Amino acid sequence: MPLQIGTTTLASRFLLGTAGYPSPETLRQAIAASGAQVLTLGLKRTLGTGNPDNGFVQIIRRTAAEQGARLLPNTAGCRTANEAVQLALMARELFGTDWIKLEVVGDEQLLAPDPFELLAAARELCAQGFIVLPYCTDDLVLGQRLLDAGCAALMPWGAPIGSGQGLLNPFALRALRARFPRATLIVDAGLGAPSQAAQAMELGFDGVLLNSAVAQAADPVRMAAAFAGAIEAGRQGYEAGLIAPQDLAIPSTPVWDRAA
């Protein structure tokens, strides 16, 4: 089954960020290698240049068009619901899309989402017709409230943004998958290695969103391809049906007529 977000069907389960690459050409090649059909774009960075259609944005627009990808503006850097809503409204005007990656951060050191401001912003944006993909914690209650508000997916963190620590709480992520079997769940933030992306997919998550692990790699293009392969392998493993872990050894070859 392909990835479904709202009414949109995507062939790729890899969502890729576009910040921090060593050069525009490296960014272009990494996007192509990833096969990603959703590219995130920081609104504060874009608007901070004074030109919302600067060279960086033009590269992403052109590459997205070449690859058949769609832009996912994000509200990174917002600290209040009101600020995030205003930025999302600007994004809709600038990029002609109702899709928004909603980020409202409440802690400066860990860049942890503020659950109260996040939920308030999600409710307002869903009411205004946005396809809201919230960057959130792995809290079950918050997840339920965000889905009730109308969010098209949940995007819980694996670890703090850019930390490369992988999945710090697999139990909580498994609980989210079990509690919301029909919701679209995408791990967002904290991954550093392709194996960690495969682990997320093996837990039954529908996709992976990351940026730093590719942009800051020694070879971003090869790393983008590596993550693409790991995400596909992890999904295939999940769909094939992983065997349950056991505490004791179980012989793979039955032994008959063993001596007593």
Side-chain angles (χ1 to χ4, degrees):
M1 292 287 292
L3 174 60
Q4 191 81 19
I5 297 179
T7 60
T8 300
T9 300
L10 302 167
S12 172
R13 296 177 179 275
F14 191 0
L15 292 75
L16 185 63
T18 57
Y21 287 79
S23 71
E25 179 58 20
T26 300
L27 169 60
R28 189 192 67 77
Q29 292 183 27
I31 291 171
S34 73
Q37 292 182 298
V38 176
L39 306 175
T40 65
L41 178 68
L43 265 297
K44 285 215 166 187
R45 174 184 177 183
T46 301
L47 297 174
T49 65
N51 177 9
D53 202 21
N54 57 33
F56 171 73
V57 175
Q58 290 175 6
I59 291 169
I60 296 175
R61 283 185 187 273
R62 185 167 57 249
T63 306
E66 291 171 355
Q67 193 152 312
R70 66 185 306 141
L71 296 180
L72 177 61
N74 70 53
T75 63
C78 290
R79 297 296 184 267
T80 67
N82 183 64
E83 185 182 11
V85 168
Q86 293 305 312
L87 199 58
L89 290 170
M90 285 189 239
R92 182 153 65 181
E93 292 297 319
L94 288 171
F95 299 107
T97 178
D98 290 326
W99 283 37
I100 193 76
K101 179 188 174 188
L102 180 59
E103 298 185 35
V104 186
V105 168
D107 180 84
E108 297 298 328
Q109 290 189 331
L110 295 180
L111 298 179
D114 182 325
F116 306 103
E117 295 294 314
L118 180 69
L119 181 56
R123 285 172 171 159
E124 177 63 25
L125 291 173
C126 287
Q128 296 202 36
F130 281 87
I131 304 299
V132 179
L133 287 77
Y135 160 63
C136 57
T137 64
D138 52 24
D139 182 79
L140 280 171
V141 176
L142 175 60
Q144 183 66 69
R145 297 290 185 270
L146 289 167
L147 292 173
D148 290 343
C151 292
L154 298 178
M155 301 207 300
W157 64 353
I161 292 173
S163 69
Q165 296 183 76
L167 307 184
L168 293 182
N169 194 346
F171 170 81
L173 296 175
R174 280 196 300 268
L176 280 173
R177 180 72 285 171
R179 187 65 59 87
F180 309 126
R182 286 186 286 275
T184 298
L185 303 180
I186 298 168
V187 168
D188 176 14
L191 301 186
S195 57
Q196 296 163 356
Q199 181 188 9
M201 300 305 292
E202 288 169 356
L203 290 175
F205 275 69
D206 299 289
V208 167
L209 192 158
L210 57 88
N211 188 161
S212 301
V214 170
Q216 297 177 18
D219 186 337
V221 179
R222 289 184 67 183
M223 188 61 77
F227 268 101
I231 291 166
E232 175 62 21
R235 182 66 186 187
Q236 291 287 345
Y238 172 73
E239 292 182 347
L242 302 168
I243 66 170
Q246 303 287 337
D247 290 332
L248 301 176
I250 300 175
S252 56
T253 304
V255 178
W256 301 99
D257 301 324
R258 178 184 297 172

